[in-house]
Amino acid sequence: MKKLLISATISSILLATGCTEQASTMNKTATTQTDSVKAEQTNPLFMTSSLTYGAPQFDLIKDEHFIPAFEKGMEQHLQEVEKIASNPDAPTFDNTLLALEKSGSLLARTSRVFFNLVGTDSSPERREIQKILAPKLAAHSDTINLNSALFKRIETLYNQRDELELDTESTRLLEVYYSDFVRAGAKLNESDKQKIREINEEHSTLTTQFSQNLLAESSEIAVVVNDVEQLSGMSERQIKAASDAAKAADKEGKYLLSITNTTRQPVLTSLENRALRQQVWEASAYRNQSGEYDNTKIISRLAGLRAQKAALLGFDSWAAYSLDKQMAGSPSAVYDMLGSMVPAVLKNVEKEAADIKAMIEAEGNNFELKPWDWAFYAEKVRQAKYELDENEVKQYFEFNRVLEDGVFFTMNKLYGVRFKPRPDLPVYHPDVKAYELFDINGDSLAIFYADYFSRKGKRGGAWMSSFVGQSKLLSQKPVVVNVMNINKAPDGEPTLVSYDHVTTMFHEMGHGLHGMLSDVNYPTLAGTSVSRDYVEFPSTFEEDWAAHPEVIANYAKHYETGEPIPDALLEKVIRSRTFNMGYDTLEYMSAALLDMEWHSISAEQAPEDVQAFEAQALDKHNVGLSYVPPRYKSAFFAHSMGGGYSAGYYAYMWSEILAADAFAYMQELGGLKLENGMKYRKEILSTGNSRPPMESYKAFRGKAPTTDALLIRRGLKTKLD
């Protein structure tokens, strides 16, 4: 069974919820055995899907199916685990580890479908289900992870590992199991185990509430504009999209500016009305800090709970506990990595701010630079420096062409794979498309779902997830989804995307292929089941192919004429890639440092004043610039507080070091060639967590990475430095 289902990290994927009526159903015990059997026979979750590779039967699955399937799944899983733990025979790799890997199939299948739908197609009913499930799943995980008899069997095998004559991957599986059980509290006394259970239960409830508050508030704080003249600076397409969004929200005749889940909002690059820019920015930056969906008390309590758990497990802080299993190894390594970059980043930010202030003055203004001004005037500076009009650039990045002639084309060139549409497969929303992935020799590898457009009920951001994980042991091939939040064009019009969205499409496909090209035995070690500061490496690596000459020439074509992007404009796009990189890097680093500071405190230090804590944390690291706020403030920092990246947001930068180094190395080998891609596929994409991440990297690169390529990639250093 997939390891995440028997670990405390189950709470990190509780992203939405479901139904009051079903809540009462869950608590009823009078259902007859006959009724239960009938319900199981008609519930599509109770059996493996007959579709290709077990792809979910979205056309049959209904909300009322989830709770019965979760209940039965947990019941079956505990029975299977208890049978393993109470086995009178001496523990062996087969009767303990392999038995665990094969357990919990119903729970795994149900969880993957439900939590993926909760993130991509949420509803009040599903959010209610999530509230019900959160503490129950946390308790379920603890029942397994804190099972003394089960851990004794694992520990016995671990202590005998040198004599077991296991292959490398099996040894790795044993080591991962042992480590995960110890980190879950398996070695604690019964009193402390009970404390862990209580912490985990409350933690799962709070992370669920945090995520639901964020989803609810984000949909309510959209800025409504009455007068179209206030939208001066926006394109006709943007204004029409805002009008359509208002109609959908029953605000006919008005214009609705949606708020995405970052401090900086895309529309701020266009709006000429400074007061409206401020309104939009403040709606974003101050969300979830008061009122019905206030997250501030939840944040403080979560930080305290995590610190308490870390202390029980023998660590100085949650950051120390979390980093102990990552490539970084310790909080000091993260602080050193980020701190070493601050001087160079601040130097760039100062240059960028000077250019922006000069632009403000050149227009006859004398106001102080504020965060809601930065994006607007940075765009003006970019246009002046590069004579680059973002709306002109978008005309060469039509969504379907980017996906098929850009992303799919590159994956074929590098890895020999091709994507074939599967319109026969049911999907969970009309905007989602299904594909089948085929290998260079014609073998079928996986099912891929493309879910790229924003909509109500979908959480913000971009991500990859799996409906079915790869495993030779279980004879499973992957079923994977990529999710983004691109604003879809009105009906009948092509969707034109920014170059940032282009690179994000490549990024998420990197995650997708990490899952789909996995080639390991055990589900626990498959695909993206690697450390957080390694998992973003394969995705970030793919981003730079978007600008590769052969790739961009294949997809960057005018959406009306089909003419390739002019060389002069393309050169501007490429040269402008590092524009505003000081700002981009600092807002990311500030969020990463804020995340680390929240998780470096003791339980007694959990602050009540969230805003004051944020300011102190940023000032401590000399990154507290008023006009460059963190990418996320704490109250809507989903990675850190609601998701699985607590004390782990730094991972994007850590992974980027690997990605930049690997991409530079591949260019030394000749770039976009199948033999280069196949080497990377063999050593990186196929190995999952079957060996330590650095071993995989060195197997590909031949040595550990340096930061040189990263600094060059971000324009913070030249090749001649």
Side-chain angles (χ1 to χ4, degrees), residues 20-280:
T20 305
E21 184 177 354
Q22 290 166 327
S24 62
T25 302
M26 191 168 192
N27 294 321
K28 290 179 180 178
T29 57
T31 303
T32 66
Q33 186 174 3
T34 301
D35 290 340
S36 178
V37 171
K38 288 181 180 179
E40 291 179 15
Q41 291 174 341
T42 59
N43 188 329
L45 293 170
F46 273 79
M47 59 206 78
T48 301
S49 167
S50 60
L51 299 177
T52 307
Y53 305 145
Q57 296 172 293
F58 294 116
D59 54 338
L60 301 179
I61 297 170
K62 299 176 181 175
D63 285 348
E64 60 261 30
H65 294 143
F66 287 118
I67 282 180
F70 270 110
E71 285 184 318
K72 190 66 174 182
M74 286 187 281
E75 177 187 340
Q76 287 182 355
H77 191 205
L78 289 181
Q79 289 173 351
E80 292 166 342
V81 169
E82 183 56 35
K83 183 177 180 180
I84 297 167
S86 60
N87 189 339
D89 295 335
T92 65
F93 185 82
D94 287 0
N95 71 20
T96 303
L97 273 296
L98 289 192
L100 284 171
E101 288 291 274
K102 294 176 181 178
S103 69
S105 59
L106 173 57
L107 181 57
R109 182 167 58 249
T110 304
S111 296
R112 286 181 180 275
V113 173
F114 177 73
F115 290 114
N116 274 304
L117 291 182
V118 152
T120 58
D121 200 22
S122 180
S123 66
E125 292 75 24
R126 289 174 181 169
R127 288 192 288 275
E128 185 61 29
I129 293 174
Q130 185 188 10
K131 283 183 181 178
I132 297 165
L133 290 174
K136 294 178 179 293
L137 287 170
H140 177 78
S141 293
D142 286 339
T143 299
I144 297 171
N145 292 331
L146 301 178
N147 184 315
S148 298
L150 179 62
F151 176 65
K152 185 176 180 180
R153 296 181 70 86
I154 294 171
E155 185 177 37
T156 298
L157 292 172
Y158 179 77
N159 291 335
Q160 298 172 350
R161 62 191 183 281
D162 293 337
E163 290 80 47
L164 294 178
E165 298 183 352
L166 300 174
D167 59 59
T168 301
E169 186 180 343
S170 298
T171 299
R172 177 70 171 169
L173 181 70
L174 175 55
E175 291 171 347
V176 167
Y177 261 97
Y178 177 77
S179 172
D180 286 352
F181 269 78
V182 171
R183 288 173 57 80
K187 284 192 169 185
L188 298 178
N189 60 43
E190 289 305 315
S191 175
D192 286 344
K193 283 182 179 180
Q194 181 57 34
K195 292 177 184 177
I196 290 286
R197 289 187 180 94
E198 293 169 358
I199 289 172
N200 288 344
E201 181 175 353
E202 184 179 358
H203 185 275
S204 68
T205 299
L206 290 176
T207 53
T208 299
Q209 189 61 55
F210 177 95
S211 298
Q212 292 189 4
N213 284 348
L214 178 55
L215 182 63
E217 177 114 326
S218 294
S219 64
E220 290 193 2
I221 59 175
V223 175
V224 178
V225 178
N226 297 319
D227 186 354
V228 69
E229 291 185 4
Q230 290 185 281
L231 304 181
S232 178
M234 292 174 60
S235 69
E236 290 184 8
R237 290 170 60 86
Q238 288 176 312
I239 292 172
K240 187 177 187 307
S243 174
D244 291 345
K247 288 178 185 176
D250 296 325
K251 299 182 185 297
E252 185 84 24
K254 301 181 187 295
Y255 305 87
L256 188 143
L257 304 180
S258 300
I259 302 299
T260 59
N261 193 40
T262 62
T263 304
R264 179 172 38 159
Q265 299 300 305
V267 74
L268 294 180
T269 63
S270 306
L271 287 174
E272 294 177 359
N273 187 314
R274 189 171 189 245
L276 183 55
R277 290 203 306 269
Q278 180 177 354
Q279 184 181 355
V280 169

Side-chain angles (χ1 to χ4, degrees), residues 640-705:
S640 177
M641 296 299 172
Y645 274 66
S646 56
Y649 192 62
Y650 78 91
Y652 291 92
M653 184 71 75
W654 193 277
S655 294
E656 189 180 349
I657 293 172
L658 298 167
D661 189 70
F663 188 83
Y665 172 63
M666 193 171 281
Q667 305 321 298
E668 295 174 10
L669 298 179
L672 190 69
K673 293 183 177 181
L674 182 62
E675 56 264 38
N676 293 337
M678 295 303 279
K679 178 181 180 182
Y680 179 84
R681 173 177 169 176
K682 175 185 176 183
E683 303 297 353
I684 302 297
L685 296 178
S686 70
T687 56
N689 195 27
S690 62
R691 61 187 177 193
M694 188 54 77
E695 286 187 18
S696 292
Y697 188 81
K698 288 180 178 179
F700 166 70
R701 178 69 171 91
K703 62 181 182 179

Side-chain angles (χ1 to χ4, degrees), residues 319-336 533 596 650 654:
Y321 168 78
S322 180
L323 276 265
D324 182 62
K325 199 181 179 183
Q326 307 302 316
M327 290 184 75
S330 68
S332 61
V334 174
Y335 283 124
D336 288 346
D533 49 12
M596 287 297 297
Y650 78 91
W654 193 277

